[in-house]
Amino acid sequence: MTNAIVQATDLKKTFGSGRTLVRAVDGVSLSVAAGELVTITGPSGSGKTTLVSMLGALLRPTSGSILIDGTDISTLDEAGLSGLRARTIGFVFQSFNLLEALSVRDNILFPAHLTKGGVKQAAPRADELLERLDLTTRQNALPRTLSGGEKQRVAIARALINEPKLIIADEPTGNLDSKSGQEVLMIMHDIARDHGRSILLVTHDQRVEEVADRVLWLEDGALRDRKQETREWAHDPVCNMRVDVWNSEIYSDYDNVRYHFCSKRCQDRFGKTPKQYIGATPQSQSHQEERPS
Amino acid sequence: MLKWTLQGLFLAPQQLLASIAAVAGAFVLVLFFEGVFSGESEKIVAMIERTEADVWVMQKGVGNMHMASSFVSDWKVGAVASVDGVKKVTPILYLNSVIEAGGRSWISFIVGMEAGDPRAGPWKSAGGAIVPEPGEAIVPDIFALDAGLSIGDSIWIAGRNFKVAGFSADTFSMANSITYVTLDDLADTISTIGAVSYLLVDAEPGVDPQALATKIMVQVEKVNALTREEFARRDFSIAVQMGLEIVWIMTLIGGALAVLLTGFIVYSHITGRERELAVMKALGVRDRAIYFSIMTQALFIGLMAFALAVLVLLIAMPTTEMLAPKISLGLSANALVRAGSMAIIASLLASIIPVRRVLSVDPVSAFQQ
Ligand SMILES: Nc1ncnc2c1ncn2[C@@H]1O[C@H](COP(=O)(O)OP(=O)(O)OP(=O)(O)O)[C@@H](O)[C@H]1O
Ligand SMILES: [Mg+2]
């Protein structure tokens, strides 16, 4: 692919050695085109963070090659990698990671110090981002006074201030309530679609599949399709929400059938009067995952 | 980045203030000690400078007043007086002794001066007689303060009884007080006959003291003659030499204290913010910039502490002189420059302490929960 922003070939990363050797990432090849939103999901410990750390030029792979915007990053020294990250990559973290001492506005402008244009040239962009992410009234606030959703919007604005070609987000909705999470996903979606940025998004959030161009399933450090395709969906018999059987931890067995729930609350309601809810929805129904193209 | 550096410090203002105060304490220690020392050094040459004799004549081989004893035969008084260009010669006996009065004792230099001639006497009176008569002594005013002495009271000098006839001002310091008695009394007390210690020489108007000193050495055998400036310079440098080592040790101790304190502060500041460092590194901030930021923080603390220390001393000095007149303080520009440089060097050294810590922060940890 000629317009690939990220091009990774046979990436491997191991930690430790001998009996404690961990193959965190084990032969991953992928490429992300400009304007593409690619999601990486997978079980805990499957190597998602390790993979995006390497793709974000934060961690050197044990083997394999990474091209970011055409540059082979193994040819760069630490300072070169820092410069590449500052110019080309925006990061959004699960735990927001705002700089405590700085105001919302200064947080957003922080990465601008690392570029040629500096804060002066970035100031109009900061105003625009504040506006777009609905933060204008909070621009002089300190991070500790913000809600989780606001914090993450500030982090997104910070990731965008240098107009990077690539955004890497690791569980950006992990610490947010459902509504704020949804909002963040929609913002991500707009960024990719309207502004042509490439986005690599690690998430467990099911809703992302509606906005992603491509969903990658990482398991034991390698990209797999099979699990993805045989993924099991169940519907909560109480509220009828879709539940991922693989990751579901809230379930009850009734009449030799296993029922999965979206929440403890639904489970409790089901427990009181199970008969009221069964028969309405088919249970543990396996089906092929539809894929947005 | 600079914003992060400084605003980060102000996130915990009490902690910042406490750190600055602690480092300032180290600087005050050094400056105060230097102040005491340099005040004392100035007192050492007070008599030489304040009596304003143009030339001092002493025993050959003697070059200073405080680390030597000089004996000059008294017939040389006349010999020096007859040198062309000499207006007046005033002989003194000079020695170090213990003075006792009212159950207290002090170490003091005793000047034996010719009865009735105030030339070598105290330059500033604080009451009573200016010149001692036989059996009398003029003592520093601080002695009076210390032991409740008043005029007419008895004191003991080298085991001999004297009557206090007057008080002199500016003649007290911890190691260099001056008490005046008559030359004959002092000679009698120490059983010296036919000798004096120094000759104070006043030149005729227009005569160059240096040329006169040289002339005296040529014309009068076995004496050394020094101009006032030279004599004072030598005494002062002896005092400085004696004290320099101590001042240096104090400066080093104070400096080490400042390095450790500042280092500890920036280190603990960094330790609490490793996550932010990881984030900054992830966003593309280079290690170099982070060091620079730490250095700026350390310098900020160091310079604020230095300013605070100077302020404290400016307030403390007049107060000390009022409350403890025995301590002579001198705060020279030199001492300030030295302490200021020490503040800068200490800050730079202190910022080396957290370097390893900064290096070891892994930007990947920004991804951790
Ligand atoms: N620095 C490290 N040293 C040793 N092992 C590591 C290191 N980083 C990650 N690992 C291991 O590599 C594997 C993959 O970890 P990684 O954090 O990439 O998983 P993940 O998919 O992001 O998990 P999660 O969904 O819980 O965030 C895990 O077994 C982990 O313990
Ligand atoms: Mg992870």
Side-chain angles (χ1 to χ4, degrees):
Chain A
M1 211 184 297
T2 47
N3 65 339
I5 297 300
V6 181
Q7 176 92 56
T9 315
D10 199 22
L11 277 188
K12 290 184 182 164
K13 182 72 189 180
T14 57
F15 293 108
S17 61
R19 280 166 60 191
T20 60
L21 184 95
V22 178
R23 296 181 193 282
V25 170
D26 199 11
V28 169
S29 298
L30 67 83
S31 80
V32 182
E36 197 179 18
L37 199 171
V38 175
T39 300
I40 301 171
T41 67
S44 184
S46 59
K48 303 182 294 295
T49 297
T50 307
L51 176 61
V52 293
S53 299
M54 291 190 289
L55 298 176
L58 287 167
L59 185 65
R60 290 188 190 274
T62 308
S63 69
S65 81
I66 303 170
L67 300 185
I68 294 179
D69 198 19
T71 306
D72 179 353
I73 66 171
S74 67
T75 63
L76 300 175
D77 60 4
E78 290 307 316
L81 290 178
S82 292
L84 177 84
R85 290 199 296 272
R87 284 188 313 274
T88 316
I89 308 174
F91 290 94
V92 180
F93 308 93
Q94 177 170 0
S95 38
F96 319 129
N97 284 337
L98 301 178
L99 302 175
E100 230 188 304
L102 301 183
S103 68
V104 163
R105 191 185 167 80
D106 289 337
N107 260 287
I108 293 173
L109 281 169
F110 185 82
H113 290 100
L114 308 170
T115 61
K116 274 210 191 89
V119 171
K120 237 187 194 142
Q121 280 186 29
R125 284 203 303 279
D127 290 329
E128 192 195 320
L129 285 165
L130 282 163
E131 176 83 40
R132 195 161 99 213
L133 296 173
D134 200 18
L135 290 165
T136 308
T137 58
R138 308 291 279 141
Q139 62 177 311
N140 295 317
L142 286 178
R144 62 166 177 270
T145 66
L146 303 179
S147 72
E150 285 171 328
K151 282 184 192 167
Q152 201 57 303
R153 295 204 305 263
V154 175
I156 291 172
R158 177 177 68 183
L160 292 173
I161 191 71
N162 288 343
E163 306 190 296
K165 294 190 173 167
L166 173 66
I167 313 265
I168 288 180
D170 191 4
E171 301 274 9
T173 63
N175 283 354
L176 297 178
D177 60 64
S178 155
K179 184 167 162 289
S180 307
Q182 175 86 37
E183 201 171 48
V184 163
L185 291 180
M186 292 321 292
I187 294 167
M188 290 286 178
H189 177 70
D190 291 349
I191 292 166
R193 193 116 325 164
D194 304 344
H195 300 271
R197 311 255 185 270
S198 305
I199 301 184
L200 260 170
L201 180 59
V202 172
T203 185
H204 281 113
D205 200 316
Q206 249 82 75
R207 292 169 300 195
V208 81
E209 303 188 1
E210 272 120 61
V211 297
D213 296 315
R214 207 145 43 100
V215 178
L216 303 177
W217 177 260
L218 194 69
E219 201 180 318
D220 295 335
L223 290 175
R224 304 234 158 103
D225 285 337
R226 202 176 51 84
K227 287 284 188 249
Q228 182 71 18
E229 280 158 9
T230 60
R231 198 158 174 188
E232 257 183 314
W233 292 105
H235 286 266
D236 183 323
V238 177
C239 67
N240 203 29
M241 225 166 98
R242 200 163 65 149
V243 180
D244 177 2
V245 174
W246 256 70
N247 287 323
S248 163
E249 278 164 8
I250 309 168
Y251 53 82
S252 305
D253 294 329
Y254 181 79
D255 220 2
N256 289 328
V257 181
R258 176 160 291 190
Y259 297 93
H260 295 271
F261 303 94
C262 73
S263 65
K264 202 100 187 110
R265 200 166 141 263
C266 286
Q267 189 186 29
D268 288 347
R269 285 171 67 180
F270 179 81
K272 278 180 197 146
T273 53
K275 285 219 168 68
Q276 188 186 330
Y277 301 107
I278 46 179
T281 41
Q283 284 305 310
S284 292
Q285 158 200 63
S286 276
H287 70 112
Q288 291 290 106
E289 184 43 17
E290 310 147 45
R291 203 161 293 234
S293 52
Chain B
M1 193 73 202
L2 197 67
K3 249 185 189 164
W4 178 84
T5 305
L6 295 180
Q7 288 182 7
L9 280 176
F10 283 103
L11 267 187
Q14 291 103 331
Q15 198 187 322
L16 176 68
L17 222 70
S19 345
I20 289 177
V23 179
F27 291 146
V28 166
L29 202 77
V30 171
L31 281 170
F32 194 82
F33 191 84
E34 265 214 72
V36 170
F37 174 74
S38 90
E40 197 60 44
S41 305
E42 276 160 30
K43 289 283 179 175
I44 283 182
V45 293
M47 176 167 175
I48 300 172
E49 282 180 341
R50 299 297 291 273
T51 52
E52 294 185 340
D54 296 306
V55 174
W56 285 66
V57 177
M58 62 215 77
Q59 184 181 335
K60 193 174 172 119
V62 172
N64 70 80
M65 204 163 172
H66 287 88
M67 293 303 282
S69 51
S70 164
F71 284 96
V72 179
S73 305
D74 55 7
W75 61 263
K76 288 180 184 165
V77 176
V80 172
S82 65
V83 172
D84 198 24
V86 171
K87 185 175 148 203
K88 179 182 163 76
V89 179
T90 314
I92 59 167
L93 253 177
Y94 185 84
L95 63 107
N96 205 342
S97 183
V98 174
I99 297 182
E100 289 165 292
R104 297 228 22 187
S105 64
W106 307 269
I107 290 176
S108 176
F109 288 102
I110 320 291
V111 172
M113 51 190 276
E114 287 189 309
D117 183 359
R119 179 65 192 90
W123 52 90
K124 193 172 169 190
S125 173
I130 308 167
V131 180
E133 297 294 323
E136 291 179 350
I138 313 282
V139 300
D141 50 357
I142 306 293
F143 285 9
L145 232 103
D146 252 14
L149 284 181
S150 37
I151 292 180
D153 286 354
S154 271
I155 60 169
W156 297 85
I157 300 174
R160 182 183 165 141
N161 189 265
F162 286 84
K163 225 169 68 189
V164 175
F167 297 110
S168 58
D170 285 351
T171 44
F172 179 90
S173 81
M174 283 183 292
N176 297 283
S177 297
I178 308 169
T179 299
Y180 300 88
V181 297
T182 64
L183 205 145
D184 289 345
D185 280 350
L186 191 55
D188 204 32
T189 309
I190 58 170
S191 319
T192 306
I193 302 156
V196 294
S197 303
Y198 300 94
L199 311 179
L200 282 63
V201 176
D202 294 313
E204 295 281 4
V207 174
D208 174 40
Q210 181 58 61
L212 186 59
T214 313
K215 209 168 354 166
I216 291 170
M217 280 192 284
V218 172
Q219 294 185 16
V220 183
E221 66 180 35
K222 287 189 181 161
V223 295
N224 187 19
L226 296 170
T227 62
R228 175 172 76 236
E229 282 75 22
E230 177 65 11
F231 195 40
R233 197 187 58 70
R234 290 193 186 186
D235 256 69
F236 192 73
S237 76
I238 282 174
V240 169
Q241 265 170 28
M242 288 193 300
L244 204 62
E245 221 163 292
I246 305 173
V247 167
W248 265 111
I249 289 170
M250 283 303 288
T251 307
L252 281 181
I253 291 174
L257 219 60
V259 170
L260 284 178
L261 282 168
T262 313
F264 174 75
I265 294 155
V266 286
Y267 188 82
S268 58
H269 191 73
I270 289 305
T271 306
R273 303 173 94 194
E274 272 155 335
R275 168 143 225 128
E276 296 216 335
L277 292 187
V279 172
M280 292 201 298
K281 284 189 181 188
L283 295 182
V285 177
R286 298 182 188 187
D287 286 348
R288 210 174 51 196
I290 296 176
Y291 296 147
F292 187 73
S293 158
I294 292 169
M295 217 181 276
T296 313
Q297 285 183 347
L299 268 176
F300 179 81
I301 292 172
L303 291 177
M304 290 302 278
F306 176 66
L308 182 64
V310 171
L311 191 75
V312 165
L313 278 176
L314 286 182
I315 295 168
M317 273 174 52
T319 321
T320 311
E321 267 161 32
M322 230 162 58
L323 296 180
K326 286 174 154 188
I327 300 177
S328 340
L329 278 176
L331 192 58
S332 64
N334 241 332
L336 283 181
V337 168
R338 183 158 32 191
S341 328
M342 186 181 95
I344 292 172
I345 292 169
S347 302
L348 294 181
L349 284 178
S351 51
I352 295 174
I353 293 174
V355 157
R356 277 178 65 96
R357 192 95 195 192
V358 170
L359 252 182
S360 71
V361 170
D362 182 358
V364 175
S365 65
F367 280 123
Q368 276 150 21
Q369 262 277 52

